[in-house]
């Protein structure tokens, strides 16, 4: 069967995930390829918000901390999220932001290393990591003021040489936010361990996008995002995972009252909870936190293997169509072709990437842009159709063929 | 006029804040005296949630970060909150939790002191401070591992002797969560400065409850809560204030990307924003954050002087009525009678405080309980009526007179 719009419609007709699209509210006239940045809204979220704001807050008031289960949301949602990342019950909390959670686990990892070998002072990462990860590591290193420093490599291939016996932590984002490149979590965690380092993973662009096996992979700590592929809502609280073998020794500096063994005894001395609650800090934003469950519930109706199969089919199709139909334009595929190294997004660089993306958005194809020159297209198998891929490339080809983009347009602050 | 229910109704009839009660959704049959823990729901919050979840997330999707102003909410809400705490524009952000924000400002204060005088290693506070404040200070001190330690006093009267030339920071909660005791912010900040220390204030039980003059008081840093008297919704993000004289030197370890001078340039090196955004960290929970505005908007229709006058009238009335009508019961007033030392709550200790509070809640009078034996009653002038005070005491007297409380009932985890 040759590539055609009809072929794409046929793929949708045989797609076993197709029915899940109706669980999402998507605006008419839009092809949404930015679920890697902010996931679409589950239909159930509106009713859940009405219930939470109207009933639980409005009528339940303070009683809802117990009766509506607000106080235990971080662990309850953590247990619901755990299977999606290959973790067990009691290993995950949903809380705070990815940045704050990374601070906690990085601090915990450095503490754990210092107890064993105080000469390991290097945090190895990639210069292309999402900046907040590097900023948090810089902030923590500067504050500890004990000689900790970052060693940043320019490509994944350099990591093997960069991790050595001075390395305390190998801190990687599993799927790169810009290129869509995916690391082999098991191999890189093993590399860290061989050299005596610990492996800290940021799963912001992996959770809900690719199958993960945190426990089996040998990873030590992980954090991730709920508002991208997991569809938890704008800025929804992030998650944090601690390998069971590290939990008893897990110590983190943001020791707020929700991390206390008995928060309502109101003791003046901190005593950490014996379980994963020790990774919490202060009171959580319940309206945002509760929305996370609406996204997670949709994942319960399928599994990550089916999602991955469709994700690869979507990204393969997109790459093939762009390369066929836009071959004479200066587009460069940034994302690996190798399935084993690809997340669920495809990035193309173009000399006028920003302007072309603005033109696409103007025509209803919503992707986004990251410096330098990179157009990102996220493919979310729960609600993206094969025909969406066809139509998006159709519009991209039309924009490029007709040079229908404005290289002089002013830029938004957030793109 | 003698104290009677009619007298209370007359006070309500002449109350210039009475009309604002209609801005809140309050359950029928409930006298809500727990707005010091979780403020009531502004009516506007339900429509705002519908707009945010339904339109801005559902239809606007990623575009709403710019078009709906999500990205600038922390500073925009900070500017709206600032007049309520006596701060100027550009001095406040609404973000993260109180615990996380306290970590930031305490770290900034210690850093600032260390640059001036590295021998100051003591954080002075009260043993009766809200535990998370002490836990955060303990966590920070332990992690800095440079000899920092807490010095906790057992009563406000001991503070003058406790602050000395070893003190780096005097860290106080302005209104005590349990007793309702209020510090003189100006005097205590001056005490800190006389001894070369900095003053860090937690305004969790003050913001929206009592007039504050952060800038004029000489305070150095402050944090506070939006979900109590400010009615921002369960666990809504907290606020953080930095005195203008400290802003240029403000450094905090949670240096996430929202604190960067140019977050979307995606540089690998952290460079702090020149303004109050340097106190931010990561991506914020927008659904919870946006609700904060609904509460703040109600405050714009009055001022803190009017709120304070009614607050004192409500708490005076409550104390007087309880002491008249429950005189023969073992109730002990924990809250200061002196207006200058009282926040907007009244606490009474009773040997069976927990059981009595459960009985009150069962009869629709919602206050809360804190160890040991303390029943807390919060008075929120925006929606509490004088007749509510009468009726609440009426029910309390009835419960005590008839011993209509169960001292054997099991306790909830959260009270």
């Amino acid at each position: 069967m040759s590539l055609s719009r009809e072929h794409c419609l046929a793929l949708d007709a045989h797609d076993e995930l197709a029915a899940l699209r109706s669980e999402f509210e998507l605006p008419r006239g839009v092809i949404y390829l930015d679920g890697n940045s902010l996931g679409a809204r589950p239909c159930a979220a509106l009713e859940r918000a009405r219930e939470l704001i109207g009933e639980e807050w409005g009528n339940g008031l303070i009683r809802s901390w117990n009766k509506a289960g607000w106080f235990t949301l971080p662990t309850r949602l953590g247990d619901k999220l755990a299977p999606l990342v290959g973790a067990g019950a009691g290993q995950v909390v949903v809380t705070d932001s990815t940045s704050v959670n990374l601070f906690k686990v990085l601090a915990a990892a450095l503490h754990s290393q210092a107890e064993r070998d105080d000469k390991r002072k290097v945090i190895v990462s990639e210069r292309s990591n999402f900046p907040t990860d590097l900023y948090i590591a810089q902030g923590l290193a500067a504050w500890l003021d004990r000689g900790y420093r970052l060693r940043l490599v320019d490509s994944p291939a350099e990591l093997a040489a960069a991790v050595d016996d001075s390395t305390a932590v190998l801190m990687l984002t599993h799927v790169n936010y810009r290129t869509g490149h995916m690391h082999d979590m098991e191999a890189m965690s093993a590399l860290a361990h061989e050299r005596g380092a610990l492996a800290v993973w940021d799963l912001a662009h992996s959770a809900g996008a690719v199958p993960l096996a945190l426990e089996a992979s040998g990873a030590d700590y992980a954090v991730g995002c709920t508002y991208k592929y997991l569809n938890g809502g704008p800025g929804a609280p992030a998650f944090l995972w601690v390998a069971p073998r590290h939990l008893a020794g897990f110590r983190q500096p943001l020791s707020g009252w929700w991390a206390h063994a008995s928060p309502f005894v109101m003791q003046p001395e901190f005593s950490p909870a014996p379980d994963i609650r020790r990774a919490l800090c202060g009171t959580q934003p319940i309206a945002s936190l509760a929305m996370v469950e609406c996204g997670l519930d949709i994942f319960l109706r399928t599994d990550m293997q089916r999602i991955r199969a469709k994700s690869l089919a979507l990204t393969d199709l997109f790459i093939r169509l762009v390369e066929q139909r836009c071959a004479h334009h200066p587009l460069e595929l940034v994302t690996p072709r190798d399935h084993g190294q690809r997340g669920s997004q495809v990035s193309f660089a173009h000399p006028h990437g920003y302007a072309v993306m603005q033109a696409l958005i103007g025509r209803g194809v919503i992707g986004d842009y990251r410096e330098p020159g990179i157009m990102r297209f996220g493919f979310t198998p729960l609600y993206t159709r094969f025909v969406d891929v066809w139509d998006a490339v159709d519009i991209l080809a039309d924009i490029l063929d007709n040079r229908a983009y404005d290289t002089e347009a002013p830029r938004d602050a957030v793109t």
Side-chain angles (χ1 to χ4, degrees), chain A residues 222-236:
Chain A
V223 298
C225 179
T226 67
Y227 57 78
K228 298 177 185 291
Y229 293 94
L230 294 177
N231 311 301

Side-chain angles (χ1 to χ4, degrees), chain A residues 104-120:
Chain A
K104 296 173 190 167
V105 299
L106 197 53
L110 293 181
H111 173 74
S112 168
Q113 283 287 40
E115 293 216 315
R116 214 173 48 87
D117 177 358
D118 200 28
K119 291 185 297 298
R120 291 179 176 268

Side-chain angles (χ1 to χ4, degrees), chain A residues 102-103 106-107 110 120-154 159 162-164 166-173 200:
Chain A
L102 183 62
F103 187 88
L106 197 53
L110 293 181
R120 291 179 176 268
K121 297 293 189 189
V122 176
I123 301 163
V124 173
S125 193
E126 295 179 277
R127 200 177 308 280
S128 65
N129 201 339
F130 188 69
T132 210
D133 295 43
L134 304 180
Y135 302 161
I136 288 290
Q138 288 163 23
L140 181 65
W143 278 79
L144 291 177
D145 194 23
R146 282 166 226 157
Y148 287 111
R149 62 189 188 278
L150 265 71
R151 181 183 295 156
L152 302 181
V153 303
D154 288 311
L159 284 169
V163 180
D164 59 23
S166 71
T167 307
V169 172
L170 172 59
M171 176 185 83
L172 294 174
T173 293
V200 170

Side-chain angles (χ1 to χ4, degrees), chain A residues 50-262:
Chain A
R50 195 206 58 73
E51 179 184 54
L52 191 137
I53 307 292
E55 297 305 316
E56 294 176 14
W57 178 16
N59 284 321
L61 287 161
I62 192 71
R63 299 168 289 196
S64 291
W65 281 108
N66 280 320
K67 291 202 180 146
W70 290 350
F71 194 69
T72 53
L73 268 174
T75 46
R76 199 166 59 76
L77 293 179
D79 284 347
K80 204 167 218 179
L81 190 151
L84 297 180
V85 294
Q91 298 174 11
V92 178
V93 279
V94 180
T95 189
D96 293 332
S97 67
T98 308
S99 298
V100 167
N101 288 336
L102 183 62
F103 187 88
K104 296 173 190 167
V105 299
L106 197 53
L110 293 181
H111 173 74
S112 168
Q113 283 287 40
E115 293 216 315
R116 214 173 48 87
D117 177 358
D118 200 28
K119 291 185 297 298
R120 291 179 176 268
K121 297 293 189 189
V122 176
I123 301 163
V124 173
S125 193
E126 295 179 277
R127 200 177 308 280
S128 65
N129 201 339
F130 188 69
T132 210
D133 295 43
L134 304 180
Y135 302 161
I136 288 290
Q138 288 163 23
L140 181 65
W143 278 79
L144 291 177
D145 194 23
R146 282 166 226 157
Y148 287 111
R149 62 189 188 278
L150 265 71
R151 181 183 295 156
L152 302 181
V153 303
D154 288 311
S155 84
E158 295 171 40
L159 284 169
V163 180
D164 59 23
D165 60 9
S166 71
T167 307
V169 172
L170 172 59
M171 176 185 83
L172 294 174
T173 293
H174 183 229
V175 174
N176 186 278
Y177 77 103
R178 189 159 45 187
T179 64
H181 172 273
M182 181 169 70
H183 284 291
D184 181 332
M185 185 182 288
E186 193 171 342
M188 296 310 296
S189 298
L191 169 73
H193 294 169
E194 278 162 24
R195 315 276 163 93
L198 293 170
V200 170
W201 290 95
D202 179 344
L203 307 177
H205 292 267
S206 310
V210 297
L212 292 159
L214 276 175
E215 267 202 277
S217 72
D220 295 291
Y221 307 89
V223 298
C225 179
T226 67
Y227 57 78
K228 298 177 185 291
Y229 293 94
L230 294 177
N231 311 301
F239 68 89
L240 181 160
W241 171 80
V242 178
R245 66 184 174 281
H246 292 305
L247 188 60
F250 185 82
R251 278 193 58 215
Q252 55 98 358
L254 292 165
S255 48
W257 72 306
W258 281 37
H260 196 280
S262 304

Side-chain angles (χ1 to χ4, degrees), chain A residues 17 20-21 24 229 231 298-299 302 307 380-384:
Chain A
L17 298 181
L20 294 179
R21 180 175 162 92
F24 293 90
Y229 293 94
N231 311 301
I298 301 173
F299 281 89
T302 180
I307 287 172
T380 47
L382 293 180
Y383 53 83
T384 303

